[in-house]
Amino acid sequence: MLIAGNWKMNLNSSDLFEFQKLIVNEKIEKKVEIAIFPQFPQLQLAKQILSKYNVKIGAQSCSSQLSGAFTGDVSADAISDIGCDYCIVGHSERREFHNETNEFVKNSASLLLSQNITPIICVGESLNIKLQNRTQKFIHNQIKECIPDIVSSSLIIAYEPLWAIGTGRIPKNEEIMSVHNVIFNELSHVKNLKIIYGGSVNLSNCSNVLKLKNVHGALIGGSSLKFKDFLAIYKTAVKQVI
Ligand code: 13P
């Protein structure tokens, strides 16, 4: 199980120290990982002050190119240099505002795997696609086009329906389970596969989501910025697993 906090373009170094103050008193279980994804400039400090408490650190995006003249982009190599465990790729906000395509996602994920960083590949349908009952086909296609040809180590897929991100709306349990099943079936060849859910996960709905059979954790935006809530969600996950 993984409880991951995507801080997006929020918080700064002083917040990392606030988070550290709270995490010092937490018992981080082996069976449930906790990870945070701050902005790039805070990754080094996050690694420095939090990894001793078993908090995993991840980046929010990664270039699809190895290196070169790509001003403003960050390479898998640089992310590995910091010692990141994870990197989110293909988040819907990257797809929307930075035109990241399935091909881009596949290339970034391959580069991350080559650096032994676990990619968290985001997939999810828009409201339009959902209303047209095309969700399963759409996800099937995203998975087919985004997954690297060779997955030598572990891989995480985050199912994040676009209409659930930051809206307070969340799919029905059956909807989450059926999409996670589509992903499982498509990726049955991947040995260390986790599928996590993201989109309006909060303290009140987390136990309902995390109890689902094929849900291996959550990718949390808004509620990860409220550290007490985030840690309470972590504790809920621990209760379900242990
Ligand atoms: P919210 O939890 O704010 O809906 O964001 C989800 C998300 O985009 C995590 O990557």
Side-chain angles (χ1 to χ4, degrees), residues 178-201:
S178 77
V179 171
H180 281 223
N181 269 341
V182 168
I183 300 170
F184 259 120
N185 292 339
E186 193 58 41
L187 297 177
S188 53
H189 60 284
V190 177
K191 270 201 200 120
N192 291 313
L193 176 70
K194 276 196 187 98
I195 307 177
I196 63 179
Y197 169 80
S200 292
V201 174

mmCIF file with all atom_site columns, all heavy atoms in Angstrom, residues 178-201:
data_model
loop_
_atom_site.group_PDB
_atom_site.id
_atom_site.type_symbol
_atom_site.label_atom_id
_atom_site.label_alt_id
_atom_site.label_comp_id
_atom_site.label_asym_id
_atom_site.label_entity_id
_atom_site.label_seq_id
_atom_site.pdbx_PDB_ins_code
_atom_site.Cartn_x
_atom_site.Cartn_y
_atom_site.Cartn_z
_atom_site.occupancy
_atom_site.B_iso_or_equiv
_atom_site.pdbx_formal_charge
_atom_site.auth_seq_id
_atom_site.auth_comp_id
_atom_site.auth_asym_id
_atom_site.auth_atom_id
_atom_site.pdbx_PDB_model_num
ATOM 1   N N   . SER A 1 178 ? -13.824 -1.550  -11.409 1.00 0.00 ? 178 SER A N   1
ATOM 2   C CA  . SER A 1 178 ? -13.825 -2.046  -12.784 1.00 0.00 ? 178 SER A CA  1
ATOM 3   C C   . SER A 1 178 ? -12.678 -1.429  -13.593 1.00 0.00 ? 178 SER A C   1
ATOM 4   O O   . SER A 1 178 ? -12.046 -2.117  -14.389 1.00 0.00 ? 178 SER A O   1
ATOM 5   C CB  . SER A 1 178 ? -15.187 -1.871  -13.462 1.00 0.00 ? 178 SER A CB  1
ATOM 6   O OG  . SER A 1 178 ? -15.350 -0.549  -13.844 1.00 0.00 ? 178 SER A OG  1
ATOM 7   N N   . VAL A 1 179 ? -12.348 -0.162  -13.341 1.00 0.00 ? 179 VAL A N   1
ATOM 8   C CA  . VAL A 1 179 ? -11.202 0.419   -14.058 1.00 0.00 ? 179 VAL A CA  1
ATOM 9   C C   . VAL A 1 179 ? -9.898  -0.235  -13.591 1.00 0.00 ? 179 VAL A C   1
ATOM 10  O O   . VAL A 1 179 ? -9.033  -0.570  -14.406 1.00 0.00 ? 179 VAL A O   1
ATOM 11  C CB  . VAL A 1 179 ? -11.151 1.953   -13.881 1.00 0.00 ? 179 VAL A CB  1
ATOM 12  C CG1 . VAL A 1 179 ? -9.852  2.517   -14.431 1.00 0.00 ? 179 VAL A CG1 1
ATOM 13  C CG2 . VAL A 1 179 ? -12.333 2.612   -14.569 1.00 0.00 ? 179 VAL A CG2 1
ATOM 14  N N   . HIS A 1 180 ? -9.780  -0.461  -12.295 1.00 0.00 ? 180 HIS A N   1
ATOM 15  C CA  . HIS A 1 180 ? -8.561  -1.107  -11.800 1.00 0.00 ? 180 HIS A CA  1
ATOM 16  C C   . HIS A 1 180 ? -8.421  -2.509  -12.399 1.00 0.00 ? 180 HIS A C   1
ATOM 17  O O   . HIS A 1 180 ? -7.312  -2.957  -12.695 1.00 0.00 ? 180 HIS A O   1
ATOM 18  C CB  . HIS A 1 180 ? -8.557  -1.147  -10.266 1.00 0.00 ? 180 HIS A CB  1
ATOM 19  C CG  . HIS A 1 180 ? -8.164  0.172   -9.654  1.00 0.00 ? 180 HIS A CG  1
ATOM 20  N ND1 . HIS A 1 180 ? -7.309  0.288   -8.581  1.00 0.00 ? 180 HIS A ND1 1
ATOM 21  C CD2 . HIS A 1 180 ? -8.500  1.439   -9.982  1.00 0.00 ? 180 HIS A CD2 1
ATOM 22  C CE1 . HIS A 1 180 ? -7.144  1.574   -8.285  1.00 0.00 ? 180 HIS A CE1 1
ATOM 23  N NE2 . HIS A 1 180 ? -7.864  2.287   -9.118  1.00 0.00 ? 180 HIS A NE2 1
ATOM 24  N N   . ASN A 1 181 ? -9.547  -3.186  -12.610 1.00 0.00 ? 181 ASN A N   1
ATOM 25  C CA  . ASN A 1 181 ? -9.497  -4.510  -13.242 1.00 0.00 ? 181 ASN A CA  1
ATOM 26  C C   . ASN A 1 181 ? -9.003  -4.442  -14.677 1.00 0.00 ? 181 ASN A C   1
ATOM 27  O O   . ASN A 1 181 ? -8.205  -5.283  -15.100 1.00 0.00 ? 181 ASN A O   1
ATOM 28  C CB  . ASN A 1 181 ? -10.889 -5.158  -13.248 1.00 0.00 ? 181 ASN A CB  1
ATOM 29  C CG  . ASN A 1 181 ? -11.077 -5.975  -11.998 1.00 0.00 ? 181 ASN A CG  1
ATOM 30  O OD1 . ASN A 1 181 ? -10.100 -6.341  -11.341 1.00 0.00 ? 181 ASN A OD1 1
ATOM 31  N ND2 . ASN A 1 181 ? -12.326 -6.227  -11.637 1.00 0.00 ? 181 ASN A ND2 1
ATOM 32  N N   . VAL A 1 182 ? -9.481  -3.429  -15.398 1.00 0.00 ? 182 VAL A N   1
ATOM 33  C CA  . VAL A 1 182 ? -9.025  -3.251  -16.786 1.00 0.00 ? 182 VAL A CA  1
ATOM 34  C C   . VAL A 1 182 ? -7.493  -3.101  -16.794 1.00 0.00 ? 182 VAL A C   1
ATOM 35  O O   . VAL A 1 182 ? -6.783  -3.713  -17.593 1.00 0.00 ? 182 VAL A O   1
ATOM 36  C CB  . VAL A 1 182 ? -9.671  -1.988  -17.416 1.00 0.00 ? 182 VAL A CB  1
ATOM 37  C CG1 . VAL A 1 182 ? -9.004  -1.601  -18.728 1.00 0.00 ? 182 VAL A CG1 1
ATOM 38  C CG2 . VAL A 1 182 ? -11.161 -2.182  -17.605 1.00 0.00 ? 182 VAL A CG2 1
ATOM 39  N N   . ILE A 1 183 ? -6.998  -2.303  -15.860 1.00 0.00 ? 183 ILE A N   1
ATOM 40  C CA  . ILE A 1 183 ? -5.548  -2.046  -15.805 1.00 0.00 ? 183 ILE A CA  1
ATOM 41  C C   . ILE A 1 183 ? -4.797  -3.337  -15.451 1.00 0.00 ? 183 ILE A C   1
ATOM 42  O O   . ILE A 1 183 ? -3.790  -3.690  -16.073 1.00 0.00 ? 183 ILE A O   1
ATOM 43  C CB  . ILE A 1 183 ? -5.233  -0.919  -14.786 1.00 0.00 ? 183 ILE A CB  1
ATOM 44  C CG1 . ILE A 1 183 ? -5.945  0.369   -15.203 1.00 0.00 ? 183 ILE A CG1 1
ATOM 45  C CG2 . ILE A 1 183 ? -3.733  -0.701  -14.671 1.00 0.00 ? 183 ILE A CG2 1
ATOM 46  C CD1 . ILE A 1 183 ? -5.924  1.500   -14.172 1.00 0.00 ? 183 ILE A CD1 1
ATOM 47  N N   . PHE A 1 184 ? -5.333  -4.053  -14.464 1.00 0.00 ? 184 PHE A N   1
ATOM 48  C CA  . PHE A 1 184 ? -4.700  -5.329  -14.068 1.00 0.00 ? 184 PHE A CA  1
ATOM 49  C C   . PHE A 1 184 ? -4.620  -6.288  -15.230 1.00 0.00 ? 184 PHE A C   1
ATOM 50  O O   . PHE A 1 184 ? -3.584  -6.907  -15.486 1.00 0.00 ? 184 PHE A O   1
ATOM 51  C CB  . PHE A 1 184 ? -5.519  -6.004  -12.969 1.00 0.00 ? 184 PHE A CB  1
ATOM 52  C CG  . PHE A 1 184 ? -4.916  -5.797  -11.628 1.00 0.00 ? 184 PHE A CG  1
ATOM 53  C CD1 . PHE A 1 184 ? -5.632  -5.145  -10.640 1.00 0.00 ? 184 PHE A CD1 1
ATOM 54  C CD2 . PHE A 1 184 ? -3.631  -6.230  -11.341 1.00 0.00 ? 184 PHE A CD2 1
ATOM 55  C CE1 . PHE A 1 184 ? -5.081  -4.916  -9.408  1.00 0.00 ? 184 PHE A CE1 1
ATOM 56  C CE2 . PHE A 1 184 ? -3.077  -6.011  -10.101 1.00 0.00 ? 184 PHE A CE2 1
ATOM 57  C CZ  . PHE A 1 184 ? -3.804  -5.347  -9.130  1.00 0.00 ? 184 PHE A CZ  1
ATOM 58  N N   . ASN A 1 185 ? -5.719  -6.427  -15.949 1.00 0.00 ? 185 ASN A N   1
ATOM 59  C CA  . ASN A 1 185 ? -5.747  -7.382  -17.051 1.00 0.00 ? 185 ASN A CA  1
ATOM 60  C C   . ASN A 1 185 ? -4.752  -7.003  -18.131 1.00 0.00 ? 185 ASN A C   1
ATOM 61  O O   . ASN A 1 185 ? -4.059  -7.854  -18.683 1.00 0.00 ? 185 ASN A O   1
ATOM 62  C CB  . ASN A 1 185 ? -7.158  -7.482  -17.649 1.00 0.00 ? 185 ASN A CB  1
ATOM 63  C CG  . ASN A 1 185 ? -8.088  -8.133  -16.651 1.00 0.00 ? 185 ASN A CG  1
ATOM 64  O OD1 . ASN A 1 185 ? -7.638  -8.832  -15.733 1.00 0.00 ? 185 ASN A OD1 1
ATOM 65  N ND2 . ASN A 1 185 ? -9.386  -7.889  -16.785 1.00 0.00 ? 185 ASN A ND2 1
ATOM 66  N N   . GLU A 1 186 ? -4.658  -5.713  -18.391 1.00 0.00 ? 186 GLU A N   1
ATOM 67  C CA  . GLU A 1 186 ? -3.740  -5.247  -19.433 1.00 0.00 ? 186 GLU A CA  1
ATOM 68  C C   . GLU A 1 186 ? -2.285  -5.445  -19.007 1.00 0.00 ? 186 GLU A C   1
ATOM 69  O O   . GLU A 1 186 ? -1.413  -5.667  -19.836 1.00 0.00 ? 186 GLU A O   1
ATOM 70  C CB  . GLU A 1 186 ? -4.022  -3.752  -19.695 1.00 0.00 ? 186 GLU A CB  1
ATOM 71  C CG  . GLU A 1 186 ? -3.408  -3.182  -20.932 1.00 0.00 ? 186 GLU A CG  1
ATOM 72  C CD  . GLU A 1 186 ? -3.836  -3.902  -22.196 1.00 0.00 ? 186 GLU A CD  1
ATOM 73  O OE1 . GLU A 1 186 ? -5.028  -4.263  -22.348 1.00 0.00 ? 186 GLU A OE1 1
ATOM 74  O OE2 . GLU A 1 186 ? -2.942  -4.126  -23.018 1.00 0.00 ? 186 GLU A OE2 1
ATOM 75  N N   . LEU A 1 187 ? -2.035  -5.372  -17.699 1.00 0.00 ? 187 LEU A N   1
ATOM 76  C CA  . LEU A 1 187 ? -0.644  -5.411  -17.224 1.00 0.00 ? 187 LEU A CA  1
ATOM 77  C C   . LEU A 1 187 ? -0.327  -6.665  -16.403 1.00 0.00 ? 187 LEU A C   1
ATOM 78  O O   . LEU A 1 187 ? 0.522   -6.622  -15.513 1.00 0.00 ? 187 LEU A O   1
ATOM 79  C CB  . LEU A 1 187 ? -0.365  -4.147  -16.394 1.00 0.00 ? 187 LEU A CB  1
ATOM 80  C CG  . LEU A 1 187 ? -0.463  -2.834  -17.171 1.00 0.00 ? 187 LEU A CG  1
ATOM 81  C CD1 . LEU A 1 187 ? -0.239  -1.645  -16.257 1.00 0.00 ? 187 LEU A CD1 1
ATOM 82  C CD2 . LEU A 1 187 ? 0.554   -2.805  -18.312 1.00 0.00 ? 187 LEU A CD2 1
ATOM 83  N N   . SER A 1 188 ? -0.989  -7.755  -16.731 1.00 0.00 ? 188 SER A N   1
ATOM 84  C CA  . SER A 1 188 ? -0.802  -8.975  -15.935 1.00 0.00 ? 188 SER A CA  1
ATOM 85  C C   . SER A 1 188 ? 0.652   -9.460  -15.993 1.00 0.00 ? 188 SER A C   1
ATOM 86  O O   . SER A 1 188 ? 1.105   -10.202 -15.128 1.00 0.00 ? 188 SER A O   1
ATOM 87  C CB  . SER A 1 188 ? -1.761  -10.072 -16.397 1.00 0.00 ? 188 SER A CB  1
ATOM 88  O OG  . SER A 1 188 ? -1.605  -10.227 -17.771 1.00 0.00 ? 188 SER A OG  1
ATOM 89  N N   . HIS A 1 189 ? 1.396   -9.010  -17.011 1.00 0.00 ? 189 HIS A N   1
ATOM 90  C CA  . HIS A 1 189 ? 2.795   -9.458  -17.147 1.00 0.00 ? 189 HIS A CA  1
ATOM 91  C C   . HIS A 1 189 ? 3.746   -8.685  -16.218 1.00 0.00 ? 189 HIS A C   1
ATOM 92  O O   . HIS A 1 189 ? 4.898   -9.068  -16.048 1.00 0.00 ? 189 HIS A O   1
ATOM 93  C CB  . HIS A 1 189 ? 3.256   -9.281  -18.597 1.00 0.00 ? 189 HIS A CB  1
ATOM 94  C CG  . HIS A 1 189 ? 3.187   -7.855  -19.071 1.00 0.00 ? 189 HIS A CG  1
ATOM 95  N ND1 . HIS A 1 189 ? 2.003   -7.240  -19.421 1.00 0.00 ? 189 HIS A ND1 1
ATOM 96  C CD2 . HIS A 1 189 ? 4.152   -6.912  -19.222 1.00 0.00 ? 189 HIS A CD2 1
ATOM 97  C CE1 . HIS A 1 189 ? 2.239   -5.993  -19.796 1.00 0.00 ? 189 HIS A CE1 1
ATOM 98  N NE2 . HIS A 1 189 ? 3.532   -5.763  -19.672 1.00 0.00 ? 189 HIS A NE2 1
ATOM 99  N N   . VAL A 1 190 ? 3.266   -7.587  -15.622 1.00 0.00 ? 190 VAL A N   1
ATOM 100 C CA  . VAL A 1 190 ? 4.170   -6.784  -14.771 1.00 0.00 ? 190 VAL A CA  1
ATOM 101 C C   . VAL A 1 190 ? 4.176   -7.374  -13.358 1.00 0.00 ? 190 VAL A C   1
ATOM 102 O O   . VAL A 1 190 ? 3.126   -7.483  -12.721 1.00 0.00 ? 190 VAL A O   1
ATOM 103 C CB  . VAL A 1 190 ? 3.719   -5.300  -14.735 1.00 0.00 ? 190 VAL A CB  1
ATOM 104 C CG1 . VAL A 1 190 ? 4.601   -4.486  -13.798 1.00 0.00 ? 190 VAL A CG1 1
ATOM 105 C CG2 . VAL A 1 190 ? 3.750   -4.708  -16.138 1.00 0.00 ? 190 VAL A CG2 1
ATOM 106 N N   . LYS A 1 191 ? 5.377   -7.735  -12.912 1.00 0.00 ? 191 LYS A N   1
ATOM 107 C CA  . LYS A 1 191 ? 5.478   -8.452  -11.628 1.00 0.00 ? 191 LYS A CA  1
ATOM 108 C C   . LYS A 1 191 ? 5.112   -7.584  -10.434 1.00 0.00 ? 191 LYS A C   1
ATOM 109 O O   . LYS A 1 191 ? 4.276   -7.946  -9.627  1.00 0.00 ? 191 LYS A O   1
ATOM 110 C CB  . LYS A 1 191 ? 6.901   -8.980  -11.457 1.00 0.00 ? 191 LYS A CB  1
ATOM 111 C CG  . LYS A 1 191 ? 7.065   -10.363 -12.037 1.00 0.00 ? 191 LYS A CG  1
ATOM 112 C CD  . LYS A 1 191 ? 8.288   -11.047 -11.421 1.00 0.00 ? 191 LYS A CD  1
ATOM 113 C CE  . LYS A 1 191 ? 8.727   -12.191 -12.329 1.00 0.00 ? 191 LYS A CE  1
ATOM 114 N NZ  . LYS A 1 191 ? 10.096  -12.027 -12.824 1.00 0.00 ? 191 LYS A NZ  1
ATOM 115 N N   . ASN A 1 192 ? 5.785   -6.448  -10.306 1.00 0.00 ? 192 ASN A N   1
ATOM 116 C CA  . ASN A 1 192 ? 5.530   -5.601  -9.131  1.00 0.00 ? 192 ASN A CA  1
ATOM 117 C C   . ASN A 1 192 ? 4.645   -4.433  -9.509  1.00 0.00 ? 192 ASN A C   1
ATOM 118 O O   . ASN A 1 192 ? 5.102   -3.307  -9.616  1.00 0.00 ? 192 ASN A O   1
ATOM 119 C CB  . ASN A 1 192 ? 6.849   -5.084  -8.556  1.00 0.00 ? 192 ASN A CB  1
ATOM 120 C CG  . ASN A 1 192 ? 7.642   -6.199  -7.939  1.00 0.00 ? 192 ASN A CG  1
ATOM 121 O OD1 . ASN A 1 192 ? 7.095   -7.001  -7.191  1.00 0.00 ? 192 ASN A OD1 1
ATOM 122 N ND2 . ASN A 1 192 ? 8.917   -6.275  -8.273  1.00 0.00 ? 192 ASN A ND2 1
ATOM 123 N N   . LEU A 1 193 ? 3.375   -4.724  -9.695  1.00 0.00 ? 193 LEU A N   1
ATOM 124 C CA  . LEU A 1 193 ? 2.444   -3.690  -10.127 1.00 0.00 ? 193 LEU A CA  1
ATOM 125 C C   . LEU A 1 193 ? 1.560   -3.258  -8.960  1.00 0.00 ? 193 LEU A C   1
ATOM 126 O O   . LEU A 1 193 ? 1.028   -4.089  -8.228  1.00 0.00 ? 193 LEU A O   1
ATOM 127 C CB  . LEU A 1 193 ? 1.560   -4.235  -11.254 1.00 0.00 ? 193 LEU A CB  1
ATOM 128 C CG  . LEU A 1 193 ? 0.454   -3.309  -11.756 1.00 0.00 ? 193 LEU A CG  1
ATOM 129 C CD1 . LEU A 1 193 ? 1.041   -2.123  -12.519 1.00 0.00 ? 193 LEU A CD1 1
ATOM 130 C CD2 . LEU A 1 193 ? -0.528  -4.077  -12.644 1.00 0.00 ? 193 LEU A CD2 1
ATOM 131 N N   . LYS A 1 194 ? 1.439   -1.934  -8.792  1.00 0.00 ? 194 LYS A N   1
ATOM 132 C CA  . LYS A 1 194 ? 0.474   -1.400  -7.820  1.00 0.00 ? 194 LYS A CA  1
ATOM 133 C C   . LYS A 1 194 ? -0.460  -0.484  -8.589  1.00 0.00 ? 194 LYS A C   1
ATOM 134 O O   . LYS A 1 194 ? -0.013  0.242   -9.493  1.00 0.00 ? 194 LYS A O   1
ATOM 135 C CB  . LYS A 1 194 ? 1.180   -0.551  -6.763  1.00 0.00 ? 194 LYS A CB  1
ATOM 136 C CG  . LYS A 1 194 ? 1.764   -1.299  -5.603  1.00 0.00 ? 194 LYS A CG  1
ATOM 137 C CD  . LYS A 1 194 ? 2.059   -0.300  -4.467  1.00 0.00 ? 194 LYS A CD  1
ATOM 138 C CE  . LYS A 1 194 ? 2.808   -0.959  -3.351  1.00 0.00 ? 194 LYS A CE  1
ATOM 139 N NZ  . LYS A 1 194 ? 4.243   -0.730  -3.394  1.00 0.00 ? 194 LYS A NZ  1
ATOM 140 N N   . ILE A 1 195 ? -1.726  -0.492  -8.230  1.00 0.00 ? 195 ILE A N   1
ATOM 141 C CA  . ILE A 1 195 ? -2.662  0.457   -8.832  1.00 0.00 ? 195 ILE A CA  1
ATOM 142 C C   . ILE A 1 195 ? -3.282  1.274   -7.702  1.00 0.00 ? 195 ILE A C   1
ATOM 143 O O   . ILE A 1 195 ? -3.887  0.712   -6.785  1.00 0.00 ? 195 ILE A O   1
ATOM 144 C CB  . ILE A 1 195 ? -3.754  -0.263  -9.647  1.00 0.00 ? 195 ILE A CB  1
ATOM 145 C CG1 . ILE A 1 195 ? -3.106  -1.223  -10.651 1.00 0.00 ? 195 ILE A CG1 1
ATOM 146 C CG2 . ILE A 1 195 ? -4.624  0.755   -10.374 1.00 0.00 ? 195 ILE A CG2 1
ATOM 147 C CD1 . ILE A 1 195 ? -4.085  -2.031  -11.455 1.00 0.00 ? 195 ILE A CD1 1
ATOM 148 N N   . ILE A 1 196 ? -3.067  2.577   -7.772  1.00 0.00 ? 196 ILE A N   1
ATOM 149 C CA  . ILE A 1 196 ? -3.581  3.430   -6.709  1.00 0.00 ? 196 ILE A CA  1
ATOM 150 C C   . ILE A 1 196 ? -4.663  4.348   -7.288  1.00 0.00 ? 196 ILE A C   1
ATOM 151 O O   . ILE A 1 196 ? -4.712  4.562   -8.498  1.00 0.00 ? 196 ILE A O   1
ATOM 152 C CB  . ILE A 1 196 ? -2.447  4.217   -6.004  1.00 0.00 ? 196 ILE A CB  1
ATOM 153 C CG1 . ILE A 1 196 ? -1.743  5.187   -6.959  1.00 0.00 ? 196 ILE A CG1 1
ATOM 154 C CG2 . ILE A 1 196 ? -1.416  3.261   -5.428  1.00 0.00 ? 196 ILE A CG2 1
ATOM 155 C CD1 . ILE A 1 196 ? -0.630  6.019   -6.290  1.00 0.00 ? 196 ILE A CD1 1
ATOM 156 N N   . TYR A 1 197 ? -5.500  4.864   -6.415  1.00 0.00 ? 197 TYR A N   1
ATOM 157 C CA  . TYR A 1 197 ? -6.577  5.746   -6.871  1.00 0.00 ? 197 TYR A CA  1
ATOM 158 C C   . TYR A 1 197 ? -6.291  7.191   -6.449  1.00 0.00 ? 197 TYR A C   1
ATOM 159 O O   . TYR A 1 197 ? -5.789  7.434   -5.347  1.00 0.00 ? 197 TYR A O   1
ATOM 160 C CB  . TYR A 1 197 ? -7.937  5.303   -6.277  1.00 0.00 ? 197 TYR A CB  1
ATOM 161 C CG  . TYR A 1 197 ? -8.974  6.362   -6.537  1.00 0.00 ? 197 TYR A CG  1
ATOM 162 C CD1 . TYR A 1 197 ? -9.596  6.453   -7.782  1.00 0.00 ? 197 TYR A CD1 1
ATOM 163 C CD2 . TYR A 1 197 ? -9.255  7.345   -5.584  1.00 0.00 ? 197 TYR A CD2 1
ATOM 164 C CE1 . TYR A 1 197 ? -10.476 7.483   -8.061  1.00 0.00 ? 197 TYR A CE1 1
ATOM 165 C CE2 . TYR A 1 197 ? -10.138 8.380   -5.858  1.00 0.00 ? 197 TYR A CE2 1
ATOM 166 C CZ  . TYR A 1 197 ? -10.742 8.439   -7.098  1.00 0.00 ? 197 TYR A CZ  1
ATOM 167 O OH  . TYR A 1 197 ? -11.599 9.466   -7.392  1.00 0.00 ? 197 TYR A OH  1
ATOM 168 N N   . GLY A 1 198 ? -6.623  8.141   -7.304  1.00 0.00 ? 198 GLY A N   1
ATOM 169 C CA  . GLY A 1 198 ? -6.485  9.553   -6.952  1.00 0.00 ? 198 GLY A CA  1
ATOM 170 C C   . GLY A 1 198 ? -7.665  10.365  -7.456  1.00 0.00 ? 198 GLY A C   1
ATOM 171 O O   . GLY A 1 198 ? -8.212  10.090  -8.530  1.00 0.00 ? 198 GLY A O   1
ATOM 172 N N   . GLY A 1 199 ? -8.044  11.378  -6.694  1.00 0.00 ? 199 GLY A N   1
ATOM 173 C CA  . GLY A 1 199 ? -9.158  12.250  -7.084  1.00 0.00 ? 199 GLY A CA  1
ATOM 174 C C   . GLY A 1 199 ? -10.081 12.446  -5.906  1.00 0.00 ? 199 GLY A C   1
ATOM 175 O O   . GLY A 1 199 ? -10.873 11.566  -5.566  1.00 0.00 ? 199 GLY A O   1
ATOM 176 N N   . SER A 1 200 ? -9.913  13.595  -5.210  1.00 0.00 ? 200 SER A N   1
ATOM 177 C CA  . SER A 1 200 ? -10.780 13.969  -4.083  1.00 0.00 ? 200 SER A CA  1
ATOM 178 C C   . SER A 1 200 ? -10.753 12.972  -2.917  1.00 0.00 ? 200 SER A C   1
ATOM 179 O O   . SER A 1 200 ? -11.754 12.821  -2.210  1.00 0.00 ? 200 SER A O   1
ATOM 180 C CB  . SER A 1 200 ? -12.223 14.199  -4.550  1.00 0.00 ? 200 SER A CB  1
ATOM 181 O OG  . SER A 1 200 ? -12.271 15.357  -5.362  1.00 0.00 ? 200 SER A OG  1
ATOM 182 N N   . VAL A 1 201 ? -9.621  12.304  -2.732  1.00 0.00 ? 201 VAL A N   1
ATOM 183 C CA  . VAL A 1 201 ? -9.510  11.440  -1.550  1.00 0.00 ? 201 VAL A CA  1
ATOM 184 C C   . VAL A 1 201 ? -9.320  12.341  -0.327  1.00 0.00 ? 201 VAL A C   1
ATOM 185 O O   . VAL A 1 201 ? -8.496  13.259  -0.341  1.00 0.00 ? 201 VAL A O   1
ATOM 186 C CB  . VAL A 1 201 ? -8.314  10.458  -1.674  1.00 0.00 ? 201 VAL A CB  1
ATOM 187 C CG1 . VAL A 1 201 ? -8.123  9.669   -0.379  1.00 0.00 ? 201 VAL A CG1 1
ATOM 188 C CG2 . VAL A 1 201 ? -8.520  9.513   -2.849  1.00 0.00 ? 201 VAL A CG2 1
#
